[in-house]
Amino acid sequence: MRTQVAIIGAGPAGLMLAQLLHSKGIESVILESRTRAEIEETIRAGVLEQGTADLMRELGVADRMNRLGQVHDGIEFRFHRKGHRINLNELTGGKRVTIYAQHEVLKDLISARIATGGEILFNVGDVRLLDVDTESPRVQFRRDKDGELEELVCDFIAGCDGFHGPSRQHIPQHARTEYSEVFPMSWLGILAEAPPSSPELIYAHHDRGFALVSTRSPEIQRIYLQVDAHDDLGNWSDERIWSELHRRLETDDGWTLIEGPIIQKNIVGMRSFVCDPMQYGRLFLAGDAAHIVPPTGAKGLNLAVSDVVVLAKGLEAYYKQGNAAWLQAYSEICLRRVWKAERFSNYMTALLHRHANYSPFQRQIQLAELDYVTSSPVGLASIAENYVGLPIDWRRS
Ligand code: FAD
Ligand code: DHB
């Protein structure tokens, strides 16, 4: 089997890359270790930056997003029992975010891929990358986990296989630097059958910990609350979740949290991670394979998308003009945006969570920061600019 670009992983990075390459007349094959059903059912991100939603429209895969996604002009920061609205739209000259679940984006990209005759092999096993530093890299795999060993020969490999995938390990240790930080808290996420408690997302800071009210549809709410790093779902009955959420979200103006049956619960850890460079030979890492952000800034999916926009441009210049300069600059261009998103995600995490290790002094500084960013036009503009998504900076050194 032969293709131009072998893509490992059918997450947002891999599927969006395949669609972008298709739009530029470049062939690819996606190899994915999970089944289609598993991918389409896993609940993860929900916030699409303006640029991500625009790209969905440009690629012609936005019909369902336009119908079912919710366009939000603002978000709320809540602390000391009071809400502070951040008007994203006014503060950014007209940008917005779209609340549309990651697995819905994946469904749209998978069906578009299949409709255009593109190849996605789900449920493959034993994926092995070979000769990534030569002109003809290869990927070995087995169909349906235990089929015959097959080989995909290609010009380039896109490692879009998430944080735990094998691709990153093919950049030799001496050739990469990894930056990593694990946070001493986790998020417990729920889906609840209840209408939205708020027309916009609420990021709440409270002495008892952070809480986030998001949404999925007019009937389903997505809500998160800060729990201990090694907490167990067994400690969190539905009653305890609701009671904790009420305490963290309560205001003085009579706002009420709407409860409903909890249909899904999970706990996710929080880490920051960056691999530099994101490229080695003919292997290019994109998305969580190269970097992880804590979820507070809602940046992970969006970073995966901006990486593959840069990669697709590099591959287009290579195939159409024989110009490899953009591919050579891939890592540099991506990492500039990645580090800014790491900065913002760390900032939002520090600002909004409860930190058991903070001294009374640090705690007062945190409260002053919250007061500052919600009252200063410059503070508000900075949050808004980062939240809707920074542009890709295409400069090359
Ligand atoms: P993934 O989605 O991890 O996809 C990688 C794919 O590779 C997977 O399908 C995997 O099965 C496959 N794979 C792995 N190993 C192999 C192998 N050996 N062979 C073949 N395939 C393999 N981001 C946001 O932007 N906004 C948000 O609001 C947001 N909220 C989040 C909330 C939660 C609770 C969580 C957990 C994450 C959130 N994120 C958010 C982060 C976002 O979900 C990820 O950053 C995003 O999924 C990254 O996409 P990806 O394609 O790089 O990786
Ligand atoms: C959602 C997830 C996030 O990480 C975030 O910051 C906002 C919303 C969500 O899943 O809806």
Side-chain angles (χ1 to χ4, degrees):
M1 217 174 155
R2 195 192 142 77
T3 191
Q4 291 177 303
V5 182
I7 301 176
I8 323 282
L15 286 164
M16 195 64 98
L17 177 61
Q19 201 62 28
L20 278 161
L21 294 180
H22 173 75
S23 74
K24 297 172 192 299
I26 300 168
E27 283 168 28
S28 64
V29 171
I30 305 178
L31 301 174
E32 165 59 53
S33 55
R34 292 187 299 160
T35 63
R36 181 175 179 182
E38 278 176 89
I39 289 176
E40 293 188 343
E41 280 160 20
T42 306
I43 308 295
R44 292 183 80 180
V47 179
L48 309 186
E49 292 175 353
Q50 177 77 50
T52 303
D54 288 346
L55 182 63
M56 295 276 287
R57 290 187 196 99
E58 270 165 45
L59 292 173
V61 293
D63 282 359
R64 289 173 70 249
M65 181 192 80
N66 288 337
R67 255 186 305 121
L68 305 172
Q70 301 175 47
V71 177
H72 286 192
D73 284 348
I75 54 173
E76 179 183 322
F77 277 11
R78 185 174 288 189
F79 57 98
H80 289 164
R81 305 175 65 86
K82 194 168 176 309
H84 304 261
R85 180 162 192 261
I86 303 181
N87 189 328
L88 300 174
N89 190 38
E90 272 180 16
L91 289 160
T92 60
K95 294 188 180 156
R96 305 174 152 99
V97 292
T98 303
I99 315 303
Y100 186 59
Q102 173 166 329
H103 66 281
E104 303 293 349
V105 173
L106 299 185
K107 282 184 200 167
D108 297 340
L109 289 169
I110 290 169
S111 64
R113 172 93 187 143
I114 290 170
T116 53
E119 188 119 47
I120 314 183
L121 300 178
F122 293 104
N123 199 28
V124 298
D126 287 349
V127 169
R128 255 175 270 165
L129 288 71
L130 299 164
D131 303 334
V132 300
D133 53 352
T134 71
E135 304 256 297
S136 46
R138 294 171 293 140
V139 187
Q140 289 182 339
F141 64 97
R142 294 179 197 277
R143 277 178 214 243
D144 296 323
K145 301 284 188 214
D146 54 4
E148 292 285 297
L149 199 60
E150 294 184 46
E151 195 162 275
L152 177 61
V153 180
C154 54
D155 301 330
F156 297 98
I157 300 177
C160 302
D161 45 359
F163 184 64
H164 300 288
S167 295
R168 190 173 60 254
Q169 308 312 327
H170 288 268
I171 303 182
Q173 232 153 17
H174 66 81
R176 68 180 135 105
T177 305
E178 296 190 346
Y179 302 87
S180 168
E181 197 149 295
V182 177
F183 292 85
M185 72 274 275
S186 293
W187 278 16
L188 190 163
I190 60 164
L191 285 176
E193 275 175 346
S197 298
S198 157
E200 294 178 344
L201 269 55
I202 303 169
Y203 287 82
H205 168 79
H206 192 276
D207 288 349
R208 301 181 63 86
F210 170 76
L212 167 58
V213 179
S214 180
T215 176
R216 283 294 178 266
S217 71
E219 297 85 31
I220 306 275
Q221 289 188 91
R222 176 74 167 149
I223 308 181
Y224 300 96
L225 73 161
Q226 176 184 353
V227 297
D228 292 340
H230 303 292
D231 220 326
D232 192 280
L233 269 185
N235 297 328
W236 288 92
S237 65
D238 294 3
E239 295 69 35
R240 181 173 177 212
I241 292 173
W242 287 119
S243 128
E244 195 60 34
L245 286 171
H246 279 290
R247 292 172 83 167
R248 296 185 191 184
L249 287 158
E250 229 160 31
T251 62
D252 287 328
D253 64 7
W255 178 87
T256 45
L257 175 66
I258 304 177
E259 290 189 26
I262 295 179
I263 51 174
Q264 208 249 2
K265 287 188 218 187
N266 66 338
I267 292 187
V268 273
M270 292 170 66
R271 67 163 77 230
S272 298
F273 174 84
V274 178
C275 172
D276 178 356
M278 293 167 56
Q279 181 235 342
Y280 180 73
R282 292 199 161 213
L283 167 66
F284 293 81
L285 303 180
D288 281 13
H291 40 72
I292 297 285
V293 284
T296 328
K299 290 283 164 252
L301 178 156
N302 295 295
L303 275 185
V305 170
S306 57
D307 286 351
V308 298
V309 168
V310 179
L311 183 51
K313 179 178 167 102
L315 290 167
E316 184 180 31
Y318 175 86
Y319 283 113
K320 302 246 169 91
Q321 293 129 32
N323 171 5
W326 286 106
L327 280 179
Q328 275 153 16
Y330 171 73
S331 201
E332 178 195 353
I333 295 170
C334 289
L335 284 172
R336 260 202 304 269
R337 192 171 190 279
V338 166
W339 275 114
K340 289 188 192 112
E342 293 282 349
R343 182 203 75 80
F344 180 66
S345 304
N346 274 255
Y347 171 77
M348 289 277 281
T349 303
L351 181 68
L352 292 162
H353 288 74
R354 183 180 91 89
H355 304 279
N357 59 342
Y358 269 18
S359 66
F361 181 85
Q362 288 170 310
R363 172 90 184 108
Q364 291 303 322
I365 295 290
Q366 184 186 22
L367 292 173
E369 180 74 29
L370 272 168
D371 190 13
Y372 168 69
V373 290
T374 51
S375 57
S376 146
V378 179
L380 289 164
S382 173
I383 299 273
E385 178 184 37
N386 282 278
Y387 195 81
V388 300
L390 295 174
I392 296 172
D393 176 351
W394 291 100
R395 277 173 304 158
R396 288 181 284 160
S397 58

